Amino acid sequence: MTGIARMALLDLRTVAPYRNQGLLLFGLVVLIDVKSPHVLVPALVLLVTSQVAAYPFTVADKAGLETLYAVLPLPRRTVLYGHYAWALATFLGTASAGTALALLLSRVQAAPLDGRTLLTMLSASWALFALNVAIQFPLFIRFGYSRISVLATTLPLALVMLAFVRLHPDIASVRIWLPALWVAGAAAIVASAAVAQTADRRHLRRPRRRP
């Protein structure tokens, strides 16, 4: 197992005690969108994945896990990449479960999702996820979750939701851009990881305030 995988597994263990909260949020989103299976996966990714992916930073702030990270036999870059790997794992898990539920709900409602709609749904979900992580993670790493949680979550989520809602009625017209969404999302994640490394170095150099 690589160092990045071990770090992602540590994130999983870190957030395991909060799994009931994540499952409750997942269930609420499903109930809200039960009649609109074509928007279920983007909604789950926007409202559930973004929160679960950030849980390690929340716990780290509360439990002082930065001390643990500092003594791990892993380079700092590996620790950061592990956080991103955890986020990608949460996206894959949420998208897979959400897609299965969306297909089931659409079949029950006698309105099966065609391949193009499904691809559009997944592409939009990836774009939403990548944008949120690209914005949030460098800020979490530089300042800590507790100091900028509103700026790093509520505001970007609101802006992304507004943009998605405005695009959704005419989503068919943007299907030709779907490959670009995947490429742009991947580029945003890579750029975010690079920015996070710089933010982490500045965070480590920042002098600690005396109590």
Side-chain angles (χ1 to χ4, degrees):
M1 182 181 295
T2 67
I4 294 174
R6 289 199 299 269
M7 187 62 209
L9 184 59
L10 177 59
D11 281 349
L12 172 61
R13 292 174 177 173
T14 298
V15 305
Y18 302 89
R19 59 184 177 275
N20 290 337
Q21 298 178 20
L23 291 173
L24 177 60
L25 181 58
F26 187 98
L28 288 175
V29 174
V30 172
L31 287 176
I32 292 172
D33 292 308
V34 68
K35 294 184 178 180
S36 303
H38 57 289
V39 299
L40 178 59
V41 178
L44 285 171
V45 168
L46 187 62
L47 300 175
V48 178
T49 305
S50 59
Q51 299 301 314
V52 176
Y55 276 176
F57 297 100
T58 308
V59 178
D61 270 12
K62 293 180 178 179
L65 292 186
E66 280 299 327
T67 302
L68 171 63
Y69 297 156
V71 300
L72 289 175
L74 296 172
R76 288 292 300 184
R77 182 172 60 180
T78 300
V79 173
L80 296 181
Y81 288 173
H83 291 319
Y84 281 88
W86 159 251
L88 288 170
T90 61
F91 168 77
L92 291 174
T94 306
S96 298
T99 300
L101 281 173
L103 291 172
L104 177 62
L105 291 173
S106 66
R107 184 174 295 275
V108 170
Q109 297 172 15
L113 296 173
D114 58 41
R116 291 184 177 180
T117 300
L118 188 60
L119 179 58
T120 302
M121 180 177 69
L122 291 173
S123 300
S125 300
W126 167 252
L128 293 172
F129 163 78
L131 179 59
N132 276 291
V133 168
I135 293 172
Q136 291 174 355
F137 277 32
L139 292 174
F140 291 155
I141 291 166
R142 178 65 176 87
F143 301 106
Y145 182 89
S146 60
R147 293 184 61 186
I148 45 82
S149 57
V150 174
L151 173 64
T153 57
T154 306
L155 181 58
L157 286 174
L159 293 176
V160 171
M161 177 68 83
L162 178 62
F164 179 73
V165 169
R166 292 177 68 88
L167 283 173
H168 180 263
D170 194 31
I171 198 69
S173 65
V174 300
R175 282 177 176 161
I176 60 173
W177 299 103
L178 297 186
L181 288 180
W182 289 94
V183 174
I189 295 292
V190 172
S192 176
V195 172
Q197 289 187 58
T198 301
D200 185 55
R201 289 194 292 268
R202 293 178 178 176
H203 171 73
L204 294 176
R205 291 198 301 265
R206 185 177 60 189
R208 294 173 180 261
R209 294 182 179 180
R210 294 183 178 180

